[in-house]
Amino acid sequence: MNKIRIIAASAAVCAAVLSANAQTLKMEPQVVGVTTYEASTAVNLVVVKPEIKLEVLDPSVFTVNTNGTERNVVSAYPSDSRGAFNPEGEYVALGLEKANGRGLGLTKGAGVWKDEYSVKVALKKGKVIKVGKQKYTAIECETDKALKDFVSESDYFNKGHFTGKATGKIGDETLTYAAYEPWSLKGDGKANPLVIWLHGGGEGGVDVSITLMGNEVVSLIRPEIQSHFTTEGGANGAYVLSIQCPQAWMRTANGSMTRGDYPSLYADVLKSCIDYYVQQNPDVDRSRIYVGGCSNGGFMTMHMLIRHPKYFAAAYPTCEAYGDEYISDNEIKQLAEENIWIVQSYDDTTVDPKTHCIPTYQRLMKAGAKNVWMSMFESVEGMDNPGQKLFGHFSWCYLFNDAVTMSQEQTDADVKPTNNGGGTVAPQGHANIFEWMNAQVLTPAEAAQPQGGQGRPAGQGRPGAQGRPQGPAPQGR
């Protein structure tokens, strides 16, 4: 009996000693990393600063909760304060497994990031962290303002504002823009193609990172798509310019929404912004400026083509919202001379293709268009998660997944939707929409037309590093 008491007493002493050495490790939250996918935007990285440098990093001991959702930690590495790997770094970056669904509530409405977004880092039950002789059995690390500062692929873009004439009323309007200009192109002394993107109705506002991340616009700077473009000197790549209006491109001077019956409030300032950017970047090849956008931005793409014939070398309107009934026969004749590739899904219930792009395409065929194409998909199927069916309006997912490879036949007959690339014809023999786009070049006379540029820069936003963001490198699939 005494022996049992002695053993019990010894165990109690050991437990007391261990308890005395056990502490809570304090960590300061730094930033989170946001990744955009084909139909979601999610936090995928959490960067923290522990009060003491950790000698060994084991992702299996950590658990992270983002906005009330438990996340699986798949990697842990020493980093700088923005999450870039640094073997001597004082910070710890925790990589998270991709979240399911349409993101984890990063926005609180159209065009606005959430003010409050909680992130909590903890130790898994039964796990410990040892540093020398010290043992930590808990972590204290929590913030409800995680989106106040974040890293993302939008950090690759330089950001600014442009103010110019409004359309249909006295006064000015200010646009926000983001420009991707990699040093590999910026410093080569060659003429570079420019790809312009116009956002949809949900990405308007004054924070252009919403425009870049709300859809998967950042995919335009990833190697998969950049490799389809060639510069004057034969190198791969293109500049990307994404422009954001305060509300929706379809808004008019009187506050109503247009489908083509009235001009957009932003028609003049948008063109002036593009002209200004081209003037400020003389290495942009004026014979190779390409414009496209989705939904509202698809409307504005068509609006720009009608108002400025032969300014753009090619256009790629996606689920475009320009009502066919508002395109005159003379405008159809004009558009038939343009280089256009339309993308949409037949089951789109937001913008009905049967009253928008399909009759427009058929009229263009009757008008003798030679280089106008249309990819009409049956439905939108996810590629990040194969087999997942997405909302029919999300046809831009095919574009940003580099999956628009075929066109409908060039006929005014009924279309035959297909998810096999969008059609049965390879336009001009090219493998996909971006290779086709890259091949479209205005003649010298067309490219020499006067540039407007009536407007002024309205101060710069937070610039990103050109070609090297302060944060994790872009993540492909």
Side-chain angles (χ1 to χ4, degrees):
M1 188 62 139
N2 289 335
K3 187 174 181 181
I4 294 175
R5 287 175 180 167
I6 293 173
I7 293 174
S10 299
V13 171
C14 291
V17 171
L18 288 174
S19 177
N21 289 332
Q23 292 185 7
T24 296
L25 176 63
K26 294 183 179 180
M27 294 181 172
E28 286 294 327
Q30 300 299 308
V31 298
V32 297
V34 176
T35 297
T36 184
Y37 303 99
E38 61 185 10
S40 66
T41 304
V43 169
N44 71 328
L45 185 77
V46 172
V47 181
V48 297
K49 185 178 182 181
E51 62 183 332
I52 185 171
K53 185 174 175 59
L54 303 184
E55 298 171 353
V56 179
L57 292 174
D58 178 3
S60 69
V61 307
F62 298 100
T63 180
V64 174
N65 184 297
T66 62
N67 204 35
T69 300
E70 289 296 324
R71 307 289 297 282
N72 184 30
V73 179
V74 295
S75 64
Y77 59 88
S79 72
D80 65 13
S81 63
R82 307 294 289 176
F85 175 75
N86 180 353
E88 303 301 322
E90 302 177 78
Y91 303 85
V92 174
L94 303 174
L96 310 180
E97 187 176 18
K98 179 187 172 186
N100 293 324
R102 291 218 62 217
L104 294 180
L106 300 187
T107 61
K108 63 177 182 180
V112 182
W113 295 110
K114 264 193 171 180
D115 293 325
E116 296 186 359
Y117 186 91
S118 65
V119 168
K120 182 177 181 179
V121 179
L123 275 181
K124 286 184 178 178
K125 187 176 181 180
K127 299 291 185 179
V128 297
I129 293 178
K130 294 181 180 179
V131 181
K133 296 182 179 180
Q134 183 62 56
K135 184 174 74 169
Y136 297 95
T137 56
I139 290 176
E140 182 181 307
C141 182
E142 187 172 3
T143 178
D144 62 355
K145 302 291 184 183
L147 292 181
K148 184 177 180 180
D149 183 23
F150 62 87
V151 295
S152 71
E153 288 170 283
S154 69
D155 292 336
Y156 277 79
F157 291 75
N158 294 318
K159 303 174 179 71
H161 302 84
F162 180 86
T163 297
K165 177 185 175 183
T167 302
K169 73 174 187 179
I170 298 173
D172 292 339
E173 288 290 334
T174 297
L175 305 179
T176 310
Y177 65 84
Y180 171 70
E181 303 159 349
W183 281 116
S184 59
L185 301 184
K186 193 73 175 174
D188 65 2
K190 304 295 184 181
N192 302 299
L194 172 63
V195 179
I196 298 171
W197 176 259
L198 306 176
H199 61 80
E203 294 79 53
V206 294
D207 185 344
V208 75
S209 67
I210 288 280
T211 297
L212 298 171
M213 305 290 287
N215 306 123
E216 205 176 4
V217 180
V218 290
S219 69
L220 294 174
I221 75 171
R222 293 173 182 163
E224 297 93 329
I225 290 178
Q226 283 282 306
S227 66
H228 296 311
F229 291 93
T230 54
T231 68
E232 176 191 55
N236 288 339
Y239 285 178
V240 176
L241 178 64
S242 182
I243 305 174
Q244 180 188 41
C245 71
Q247 296 170 323
W249 296 113
M250 297 171 73
R251 185 168 292 275
T252 68
N254 65 11
S256 64
M257 298 293 281
T258 178
R259 291 177 54 235
D261 43 341
Y262 294 99
S264 165
L265 170 67
Y266 305 109
D268 290 323
V269 65
L270 173 59
K271 179 58 165 53
S272 294
C273 180
I274 295 170
D275 289 340
Y276 173 80
Y277 181 81
V278 173
Q279 287 176 349
Q280 296 300 306
N281 294 273
D283 57 327
V284 169
D285 188 343
R286 295 189 179 189
S287 69
R288 299 178 63 205
I289 300 174
Y290 311 118
V291 65
C294 64
S295 195
N296 248 261
F299 159 86
M300 202 60 171
T301 299
M302 300 297 289
H303 202 38
M304 287 290 101
L305 290 178
I306 291 171
R307 292 174 69 91
H308 305 285
K310 291 300 180 181
Y311 177 86
F312 303 101
Y316 58 112
T318 304
C319 53
E320 58 94 352
Y322 204 111
D324 177 71
E325 63 185 301
Y326 299 114
I327 304 178
S328 70
D329 290 340
N330 284 336
E331 289 169 343
I332 285 292
K333 290 179 182 179
Q334 171 193 315
L335 290 171
E337 299 299 318
E338 302 284 344
N339 305 319
I340 307 171
W341 190 327
I342 301 164
V343 179
Q344 190 155 10
S345 179
Y346 197 73
D347 66 344
D348 190 335
T349 57
T350 301
V351 176
D352 187 350
K354 294 183 288 298
T355 56
H356 291 78
C357 70
I358 291 177
T360 299
Y361 180 75
Q362 292 168 333
R363 291 171 67 195
L364 288 169
M365 293 300 100
K366 289 181 180 178
K370 302 299 182 185
N371 199 14
V372 175
W373 312 89
M374 182 174 68
S375 295
M376 183 58 64
F377 292 85
E378 296 176 72
S379 58
V380 182
E381 295 183 359
M383 299 185 71
D384 283 344
N385 297 301
Q388 178 188 18
K389 189 172 181 180
L390 303 176
F391 187 46
H393 191 47
F394 293 0
S395 49
W396 57 81
C397 293
Y398 286 116
L399 180 77
F400 293 140
N401 272 302
D402 199 9
V404 180
T405 58
M406 307 293 280
S407 166
Q408 298 285 308
E409 294 182 9
Q410 287 188 309
T411 172
D412 60 358
D414 291 340
V415 300
K416 299 177 181 178
T418 172
N419 281 352
N420 184 24
T424 58
V425 178
Q428 297 181 336
H430 293 290
N432 57 59
I433 192 172
F434 296 111
E435 287 191 5
W436 169 86
M437 196 185 307
N438 181 65
Q440 309 311 311
V441 183
L442 295 178
T443 67
E446 292 167 338
Q449 58 184 301
Q451 310 291 307
Q454 296 180 354
R456 60 191 182 279
Q460 298 298 314
R462 181 186 70 177
Q466 294 177 329
R468 289 291 297 173
Q470 296 183 15
Q475 300 179 22
R477 290 171 226 296

